[in-house]
Amino acid sequence: MFVASCGDLVTDRTVVTGAGPDELLKLRAGPGLDYKVVLGLPDGTSLNRRSCVTEVGQLWCQVSLTAAPKITGYVSADYLSER
């Protein structure tokens, strides 16, 4: 019998946009500004979007890096664009 977890399914490919030429989008450990920064992502970084939640009026998406799927975290949806 085969059992799969929905939480591990990739739902959408997306790319970081709008961070700016000298800025990085912060990949955070959780959905909100109070969570630790895991990594900085430049514009053009390819991501796999899994799910999104709203925290304090802001939409946050759980993502993993396309090139390194084990690196996961949350980013503001404002900086994601369809591929």
Side-chain angles (χ1 to χ4, degrees):
M1 178 159 82
F2 178 74
V3 178
S5 167
C6 292
D8 292 334
L9 297 176
V10 173
T11 59
D12 193 10
R13 289 265 172 115
T14 188
V15 66
V16 174
T17 58
D22 299 323
E23 296 293 326
L24 298 173
L25 175 62
K26 293 170 181 69
L27 178 70
R28 295 184 178 273
L33 297 175
D34 293 336
Y35 289 91
K36 181 180 96 170
V37 175
V38 175
L39 193 63
L41 306 171
D43 279 351
T45 302
S46 179
L47 301 171
N48 297 320
R49 179 173 28 203
R50 298 187 184 276
S51 62
C52 298
V53 297
T54 301
E55 288 294 324
V56 192
Q58 175 67 42
L59 186 62
W60 292 86
C61 295
Q62 184 181 31
V63 298
S64 63
L65 275 67
T66 301
K70 291 188 179 191
I71 299 176
T72 65
Y74 288 81
V75 296
S76 169
D78 291 344
Y79 296 94
L80 299 179
S81 166
E82 295 304 316
R83 200 155 186 180

